[in-house]
Amino acid sequence: MQGKICVITGANSGIGKATSHKLAEMNAHVVMVCRNKEKGKKALEEIKKVTGNNSIDLMICDFVSRKSINKFAENYKSMYKRLDVLIINHGIFNLNLQRTEDGIESMFAVNYLGSFLLLNLLLEVIKDSSPSRIVIISSDIYKQARKNLQDYNFEKRKFRGFIAYAESKLYGIMISNFLSERLKGTDVTINSTHPGFTKTNIGLNNKMYKIFYPLFGIFAKTPEKGSETPIYLASSPEVEGISGRHFVNKKQTETNGISQNKEFQQELWELSKRLCNLE
Ligand SMILES: NC(=O)c1ccc[n+]([C@@H]2O[C@H](COP(=O)([O-])OP(=O)(O)OC[C@H]3O[C@@H](n4cnc5c(N)ncnc54)[C@H](OP(=O)(O)O)[C@@H]3O)[C@@H](O)[C@H]2O)c1
């Protein structure tokens, strides 16, 4: 990965941190994108120290805020002239309904819509850097999601945290699939992955989840194991040219009919553009 610039969102913790660590070990130039400067700095220093790779930068972006995403994208483009690998990894899980300042359900906003906006803002520089790769960290919990785009914001339905999370993860797979069609002929690939149940910090902000986590957490993978497929998609020659696919344990898997539905994908694309004020 020498000479390649790899951008990882949510890079200070869990799968994102383990992915950053491994890519630094592989001599990539790593850009760790975090929302909290202190946490980001701590993770960066640790990775620099252990890997001996000093070619690691920290950039700040809070995916809850459109302003922050726009600012990050602008800063990134003024600092770097290329982007070889973008790993969209950041994520949250809330059992209770929370909304952003704009009134958007927080998992839809952070896990999905913020990622959509970032992808659009960085797509040109990614294209200009081809061959380049985009990796979206989804979750196979997406299979619990149904076609509920009309009420993406939980205004008519009773809020259920697992369903909102599942929907945000379904939309990540759908956009990966949709964009792969648009990117045909560009030498930019985009794939999604389920990292598997991994012991990280996600969900620990929920009291009930935190209480039971020590029980079911014993079945979880380490972040190093959970980051294997993202790293594989970011770096392996085996997946060169492969796009629009979903990977579990480094293997391509078929996703369900809802995620593959072209009309639904188009509907999602249009709604997301509208919500992000993209023309
Ligand atoms: N762990 C699993 O079992 C599992 C399974 C399937 C999929 N996944 C997916 O894997 C990805 C990584 O999660 P993880 O399990 O490694 O959890 P994690 O340890 O909690 O890491 C999540 C990262 O996202 C960051 N983040 C959260 N909200 C953000 C925001 N508004 N703006 C910017 N960054 C934000 C967190 O920053 P802070 O540290 O500041 O909160 C953290 O760096 C997520 O997309 C998750 O959905 C995880």
Side-chain angles (χ1 to χ4, degrees), residues 149-182:
L149 201 56
Q150 305 302 334
D151 191 26
Y152 69 89
N153 209 21
F154 288 86
E155 278 155 2
K156 299 182 190 110
R157 290 179 283 165
K158 183 173 183 308
F159 181 76
R160 286 170 62 207
F162 275 105
I163 294 299
Y165 180 70
E167 287 176 9
S168 73
K169 292 293 161 183
L170 166 70
Y171 301 149
I173 294 175
M174 285 169 61
I175 279 309
S176 163
N177 212 278
F178 184 84
L179 262 181
S180 73
E181 290 292 323
R182 293 204 155 192

Side-chain angles (χ1 to χ4, degrees), residues 41-262:
K41 233 169 139 183
K42 192 165 169 251
L44 176 142
E45 291 307 335
E46 186 189 317
I47 295 174
K48 272 189 178 172
K49 196 170 161 199
V50 179
T51 63
N53 182 345
N54 284 318
S55 206
I56 310 174
D57 294 327
L58 171 66
M59 291 190 79
I60 302 300
C61 180
D62 188 341
F63 283 90
V64 85
S65 149
R66 249 196 294 162
K67 197 170 153 199
S68 177
I69 301 166
N70 277 305
K71 190 170 163 202
F72 161 68
E74 280 315 308
N75 286 344
Y76 182 85
K77 286 186 278 191
S78 66
M79 285 172 71
Y80 304 92
K81 294 294 160 248
R82 52 184 305 111
L83 201 177
D84 300 285
V85 178
L86 172 63
I87 303 181
I88 299 190
N89 162 78
H90 68 275
I92 51 167
F93 168 60
N94 294 327
L95 279 171
N96 298 314
L97 177 61
Q98 289 179 27
R99 294 194 187 279
T100 66
E101 272 179 17
D102 297 330
I104 300 181
E105 189 283 314
S106 61
M107 286 181 273
F108 180 84
V110 171
N111 297 354
Y112 169 66
L113 199 60
S115 308
F116 171 88
L117 177 58
L118 184 71
L119 262 174
N120 277 277
L121 296 174
L122 295 181
L123 206 52
E124 280 312 307
V125 66
I126 296 173
K127 279 188 196 166
D128 291 344
S129 314
S130 70
S132 43
R133 300 180 184 193
I134 303 166
V135 181
I136 296 188
I137 313 299
S138 179
S139 166
D140 275 0
I141 202 173
Y142 88 88
K143 292 173 186 164
Q144 303 302 317
R146 299 288 168 265
K147 283 175 81 179
N148 283 318
L149 201 56
Q150 305 302 334
D151 191 26
Y152 69 89
N153 209 21
F154 288 86
E155 278 155 2
K156 299 182 190 110
R157 290 179 283 165
K158 183 173 183 308
F159 181 76
R160 286 170 62 207
F162 275 105
I163 294 299
Y165 180 70
E167 287 176 9
S168 73
K169 292 293 161 183
L170 166 70
Y171 301 149
I173 294 175
M174 285 169 61
I175 279 309
S176 163
N177 212 278
F178 184 84
L179 262 181
S180 73
E181 290 292 323
R182 293 204 155 192
L183 289 168
K184 269 190 178 149
T186 63
D187 226 354
V188 178
T189 61
I190 177 163
N191 292 293
S192 58
T193 173
H194 167 59
F197 180 39
T198 308
K199 201 171 172 64
T200 65
N201 289 327
I202 198 160
L204 297 181
N205 50 307
N206 303 286
K207 228 175 169 181
M208 284 310 278
Y209 189 86
K210 196 173 176 179
I211 290 171
F212 290 106
Y213 195 67
L215 282 178
F216 59 79
I218 51 173
F219 300 106
K221 295 179 179 182
T222 62
E224 289 68 33
K225 274 267 161 212
S227 64
E228 282 179 357
T229 306
I231 292 159
Y232 173 75
L233 291 174
S235 62
S236 174
E238 284 176 26
V239 284
E240 216 171 85
I242 295 175
S243 194
R245 308 294 301 169
H246 183 67
F247 285 76
V248 182
N249 293 328
K250 300 187 194 171
K251 299 251 178 323
Q252 289 188 44
T253 60
E254 288 303 320
T255 54
N256 68 19
I258 298 178
S259 70
Q260 300 284 341
N261 184 314
K262 298 286 172 215

